[in-house]
Amino acid sequence: MRIWAAAGFVIVALFGQTQRLTKRVSTSALAVIPFREVAGHIDVEGTISGFGVLSMVIDTGFSESALSQTIYSQLKLPFTGLVNVPPGYGGRVTNPMVITSVPSIDFGGLAIKNFAFVVIPPDYIPTMPGVEIDAIVGSDFFDRYVVEMDYSNKVLRLYDPTTYREPQGGCKLPLHRGPMPSAVPLIDAKIIAEEGRAVDAALFLDTGGQIPMMLTNSFTAAHPELLKDVPTEPNQAEGVAGGVTRFRIGRMPAIQLGACTVHDPLTAFSLDNSGMGLGGGSFSGSIGLGIFRRFTTIFDYPRGFVIFESPTKGNSPRN
């Protein structure tokens, strides 16, 4: 999730998946990076300018990559500017933060030169049991490569976008960016309500989102039929950027991602009256790791699309 909206939920669910299959086309990867899922986040090991082994979260919901204040100070990295970080789910007011640049960041033997980070204080970093997070790698990382998240094998594969050959088949959707300052990647999906009614929704891709789908308060206010069978009891969680986000938990009959349909996804319906949870404008909500773990997902930001592939035939049972 973004700097101002990270780690809002700690809910994991299984649900039905599509039956689409994809014919693979061989393309050599620049790097193959093992990952593990920790508290609903994709965690990898890497180094920054040769400084030991660091724990880094790969998170499309961050429009800028973020580095902990501790690592910034230890490496004596340069100050290159300031950025105003807007509030998140019930979070703080806009907060100026330092921008720095590291000479190189290394993943799986691939060195990425002159990588920019926003420096964030400890209370903005997701808390994960037994893991100290040093950095969060966001959308600007995805801008450089085609990134394949192979969840069944727990690896990320990075490809050169100039030579990458996309697989034939799968569920391919165009990507577009939200307005600044967030500029997170959005896809156009359809939320299937009761009685089969389809509601258009612009959802941002959030590999750091622990719940399969989140819908904003403004979106559900405009489409009250989506709340027809949703329990009325509110829930709440503390956001990394401070404050508390409030939401209701339920399920939607389905979500359509192009030609793919995911049935009965667990969904958070935001009750926030400000920040990201309120929504409005360019986006209706988000899809999180609960969706991505059911696919092999290809993020091709340079050419502006995402592909969802089903790794196996058949339907998976829902819990």
Side-chain angles (χ1 to χ4, degrees), residues 65-78:
S65 293
L67 184 67
S68 76
Q69 178 72 48
T70 300
I71 300 299
Y72 170 72
S73 300
Q74 288 178 339
L75 292 181
K76 297 180 173 59
L77 294 169

Side-chain angles (χ1 to χ4, degrees), residues 51-71:
F51 181 79
V53 177
L54 303 178
S55 179
M56 304 183 191
V57 167
I58 305 295
D59 194 337
T60 56
F62 271 63
S63 54
E64 303 91 4
S65 293
L67 184 67
S68 76
Q69 178 72 48
T70 300
I71 300 299

Side-chain angles (χ1 to χ4, degrees), residues 116-266:
F117 284 99
V118 173
V119 179
I120 58 176
D123 58 345
Y124 273 70
I125 297 178
T127 300
M128 301 185 189
V131 179
E132 183 174 348
I133 300 302
D134 300 302
I136 302 170
V137 178
S139 288
D140 46 2
F141 167 75
F142 287 77
D143 284 330
R144 300 182 183 224
Y145 304 99
V146 176
V147 181
E148 181 180 276
M149 187 169 75
D150 182 348
Y151 196 90
S152 62
N153 290 302
K154 297 293 196 301
V155 295
L156 300 175
R157 299 184 184 91
L158 307 185
Y159 298 93
D160 182 343
T162 64
T163 58
Y164 180 73
R165 298 170 62 194
E166 67 182 80
Q168 302 302 307
C171 302
K172 182 177 178 179
L173 292 87
L175 285 173
H176 53 98
R177 293 295 181 93
M180 295 300 290
S182 58
V184 292
L186 300 168
I187 59 170
D188 293 322
K190 291 185 182 294
I191 310 299
I192 308 301
E194 295 297 332
E195 301 176 355
R197 180 182 174 186
V199 179
D200 292 332
L203 305 177
F204 72 82
L205 306 178
D206 188 3
T207 59
Q210 298 177 50
I211 199 164
M213 184 164 63
M214 184 279 294
L215 299 178
T216 66
N217 196 351
S218 60
F219 180 71
T220 53
H223 301 282
E225 69 275 15
L226 298 178
L227 297 170
K228 179 180 177 183
D229 295 318
V230 176
T232 58
E233 295 81 6
N235 298 267
Q236 66 182 37
E238 185 175 350
V240 168
V244 172
T245 180
R246 299 177 66 248
F247 53 93
R248 295 159 65 182
I249 289 291
R251 290 187 184 270
M252 295 307 305
I255 175 176
Q256 289 183 353
L257 304 171
C260 288
T261 301
V262 176
H263 298 282
D264 301 312
L266 193 70

